[in-house]
Amino acid sequence: QVQLVESGGDLVQPGGSLRLSCAASGFFSGFTFNKYSMSWYRQAPGKEREFVAHVSSIGGSTNYADSVKGRFTISRDNDKNTVYLQMNSLKPEDTAMYYCRAIYSAIYWGQGTQVTVSS
């Protein structure tokens, strides 16, 4: 089974930065990590899960939600089977559980990592 494990969530002050990581395993046979497009989503209490950022399978293209453009950067290292989300200029509105998603022939989700932006 494909497993995704997020890390890097923390409590930070407004204007601070964090880098989230999503480490994938289970790609040694069958489909491999470089065939999966990867995305970050987030969900705050009482709100629907929303799209944050996407990177194509080989990192050739990226997409971002308007709310994070210019502040967040998604990237991937296929040699490490890892996708990252660099978050700068964090705002209280960014507070949420952040989830990693992988898509190819199936959809896989990580367990999430909590990001809290507060003074």
Side-chain angles (χ1 to χ4, degrees):
Q1 292 283 348
V2 173
Q3 292 184 311
L4 306 174
V5 180
E6 302 96 330
S7 62
D10 206 347
L11 170 65
V12 297
Q13 294 183 333
S17 297
L18 284 174
R19 189 175 81 155
L20 306 183
S21 297
C22 173
S25 63
F27 295 95
F28 298 105
S29 61
F31 296 132
T32 56
F33 181 73
N34 62 11
K35 292 184 177 181
Y36 287 78
S37 62
M38 304 293 297
S39 299
W40 287 95
Y41 285 73
R42 67 186 182 186
Q43 187 170 22
K47 299 181 66 177
E48 295 184 350
R49 189 170 298 186
E50 65 175 341
F51 167 78
V52 175
H54 171 269
V55 61
S56 61
S57 60
I58 60 173
S61 63
T62 57
N63 292 290
Y64 299 92
D66 288 341
S67 59
V68 306
K69 284 183 178 179
R71 300 188 298 120
F72 291 10
T73 302
I74 188 171
S75 62
R76 67 191 296 159
D77 187 337
N78 286 348
D79 290 335
K80 297 181 178 179
N81 293 343
T82 301
V83 63
Y84 305 96
L85 184 68
Q86 178 66 46
M87 306 185 295
N88 299 324
S89 301
L90 284 163
K91 305 174 181 179
E93 294 84 350
D94 296 318
T95 296
M97 184 73 73
Y98 283 71
Y99 298 92
C100 178
R101 186 186 74 168
I103 294 181
Y104 184 63
S105 60
I107 300 175
Y108 301 95
W109 291 92
Q111 83 291 341
T113 185
Q114 179 67 41
V115 173
T116 302
V117 185
S118 176
S119 59

